[in-house]
Amino acid sequence: MRLTDDQLAARKRRNLAIAGALVAFIVLVFIVTVLNLRRNIEAGKAEREAGLAAAAVVAPGPAPATAPAAVAFQPSTEARP
């Protein structure tokens, strides 16, 4: 079956519309991603600056407790069957 010129023109318009919508969606996802990255970078920078300011204010406390000494491995003296 051979398509008429009108049908071919309609197919081309439809394909261009679909391609345009796909490109618009890709651009939208890219823009949202960049904005989220920028927001997260700025939030991290603010947290680091707040952490540095808080660390400068906090007086040093006692040394942290050390972990208990490890128990040495002692193999069993019983014979295995």
Side-chain angles (χ1 to χ4, degrees):
M1 177 173 171
R2 185 143 166 83
L3 297 177
T4 65
D5 290 339
D6 289 339
Q7 290 173 328
L8 288 173
R11 177 190 284 177
K12 186 174 182 176
R13 283 192 306 270
R14 185 171 51 247
N15 287 343
L16 288 174
I18 291 170
L22 184 60
V23 168
F25 177 72
I26 291 170
V27 168
L28 177 67
V29 168
F30 178 75
I31 290 172
V32 168
T33 301
V34 168
L35 291 176
N36 281 333
L37 284 172
R38 184 180 300 164
R39 183 183 59 190
N40 288 337
I41 289 170
E42 290 172 358
K45 188 184 297 184
E47 283 182 15
R48 284 190 299 277
E49 289 173 355
L52 291 176
V57 173
V58 175
T66 58
V71 177
F73 175 72
Q74 297 177 358
S76 173
T77 56
E78 297 176 15
R80 291 190 173 180

